[in-house]
Amino acid sequence: MENYQGKFCLALSPTFNLSEEEQLEKFASHKIDGFFAIYKDYNQIANLKELADKKGLYFQSLHAKHHPMREMWFDGDKTEYIMSDLKESIVSCSTIGVDRLIMHLYTGFTDEKPTDIGIKRAGELLELAKKHGVYLCFENLEGTDFLDVVLTEYSNCDNARFCYDTGHENCYATHAVVDKFKDKISALHINDNLGIRNKDKTLSGADDMHLLPFDGNVNFDRVISLIKNANLQNELTFEFKFSKDPLSDKYRALSFDEYLDLAKSRMLRLAQML
């Protein structure tokens, strides 16, 4: 893309209604440099890595499955499976040569606090990640106390990093924790939304719309200042989806090629702010 020398990366998404392989083909044809994928199993990501290498695409990071992550902190029926799957994701990440695993630390909108067992389990994951040369990049989303306690407890662990999601900051009001750990930002999920829309200011997953930049009200001047601070301006990673919100209807009305052309124009507009 003209006037920008860094890499543009884009998330694969099932909402695009194309297979992951078809999406990679489209990314390559539109000269998008790289991508990240949500982990399903080792065969999935090994196949994606093989295709990416053939197409000259950069496998930027792997995203762990969307588990009910509160069970890492409070024992539940899936706790053992979640921990096992996260450990498998770390090893798989290393095996295919991807050095960053993005993961959530907590999901839910209840008023809960971190537990000692959860902190210990996070430490187990970080120990395994260190062994395999993988950075765990924890996202800012609901339950900021959980992100805060893990990055504070393991502040001396170089493998404990932060994934800055611009949309989550806007609709989950995570500004304070983002500012606190901005020096640990090692991955980006750039997207837009309209912030907290409920009149009573309660948080809702429906507000996390993953719009193209400048279609919502994210403060991209702030975003750019954080990207510059993190020295990540040579790698901009975007996470777009076709949400169920009517605001995404205009995207669904386009062909995927037209959508990628529009997305690229917004990526470039953001990059020109650097």
Side-chain angles (χ1 to χ4, degrees):
M1 293 182 183
E2 58 182 284
N3 303 325
Y4 177 66
Q5 302 304 312
K7 294 184 176 70
F8 285 100
C9 305
L10 184 58
L12 299 175
S13 173
T15 69
F16 294 151
N17 295 319
L18 294 171
S19 71
E20 291 184 325
E21 292 76 14
E22 289 171 325
Q23 290 177 57
L24 286 190
E25 294 279 356
K26 291 290 188 181
F27 289 5
S29 68
H30 285 261
K31 300 189 183 335
I32 292 169
D33 303 290
F35 68 99
F36 76 84
I38 296 176
Y39 186 72
K40 296 176 185 175
D41 55 44
Y42 177 75
N43 287 337
Q44 169 229 4
I45 62 168
N47 290 336
L48 288 177
K49 182 64 165 62
E50 182 179 1
L51 179 57
D53 288 346
K54 289 179 180 177
K55 294 292 180 181
L57 291 169
Y58 166 49
F59 202 146
Q60 185 267 345
S61 63
L62 187 65
H63 195 304
K65 292 178 186 175
H66 291 131
H67 292 298
M69 287 303 297
R70 72 172 300 278
E71 290 199 19
M72 192 176 89
W73 302 87
F74 308 95
D75 289 338
D77 294 340
K78 295 184 178 180
T79 303
E80 185 175 340
Y81 166 70
I82 290 170
M83 288 298 294
S84 176
D85 189 71
L86 289 171
K87 290 176 181 179
E88 177 188 312
S89 302
I90 291 168
V91 175
S92 296
C93 207
S94 175
T95 302
I96 66 165
V98 175
D99 68 353
R100 280 169 286 181
L101 180 71
I102 315 299
M103 63 171 283
H104 300 168
L105 277 169
Y106 179 84
T107 48
F109 297 101
T110 55
D111 186 19
E112 296 180 315
K113 298 299 178 184
T115 62
D116 289 342
I117 187 63
I119 295 171
K120 179 182 177 182
R121 287 169 177 155
E124 291 176 18
L125 296 174
L126 285 165
E127 184 177 352
L128 183 66
K130 182 177 181 180
K131 177 181 176 182
H132 288 275
V134 173
Y135 298 102
L136 296 190
C137 301
F138 305 113
E139 278 197 68
N140 56 306
L141 63 166
E142 69 268 26
T144 54
D145 286 349
F146 297 85
L147 174 62
D148 193 328
V149 75
V150 168
L151 289 180
T152 299
E153 179 72 19
Y154 299 105
S155 60
N156 293 325
C157 176
D158 189 50
N159 297 78
R161 301 294 182 91
F162 178 29
C163 175
Y164 173 42
D165 188 304
T166 65
H168 290 170
E169 178 177 54
N170 200 44
C171 70
Y172 296 144
T174 67
H175 301 73
V177 75
V178 170
D179 285 335
K180 183 174 180 179
F181 297 108
K182 63 183 180 181
D183 291 338
K184 286 188 172 287
I185 295 174
S186 294
L188 300 169
H189 286 177
I190 301 169
N191 57 88
D192 208 343
N193 58 52
L194 292 175
I196 301 170
R197 293 184 291 178
N198 290 326
K199 291 182 179 179
D200 61 2
K201 297 302 179 182
T202 56
L203 304 183
S204 169
D207 289 336
D208 186 21
M209 295 181 284
H210 294 88
L211 303 175
L212 300 182
F214 312 108
D215 279 348
N217 60 17
V218 163
N219 180 353
F220 282 107
D221 288 329
R222 169 179 166 80
V223 169
I224 290 298
S225 69
L226 287 162
I227 291 172
K228 287 181 177 180
N229 176 81
N231 197 28
L232 283 173
Q233 56 263 44
N234 288 323
E235 178 189 289
L236 297 179
T237 302
F238 299 80
E239 185 183 17
F240 305 144
K241 298 178 184 178
F242 294 167
S243 74
K244 296 179 181 179
D245 194 280
L247 282 175
S248 287
D249 287 349
K250 63 181 179 181
Y251 304 146
R252 283 186 285 267
L254 301 173
S255 71
F256 194 59
D257 290 296
E258 291 171 331
Y259 174 74
L260 287 181
D261 282 340
L262 179 61
K264 278 180 59 176
S265 71
R266 301 300 177 83
M267 292 177 186
L268 181 57
R269 179 177 167 185
L270 185 83
Q272 289 172 337
M273 295 173 64
L274 288 167

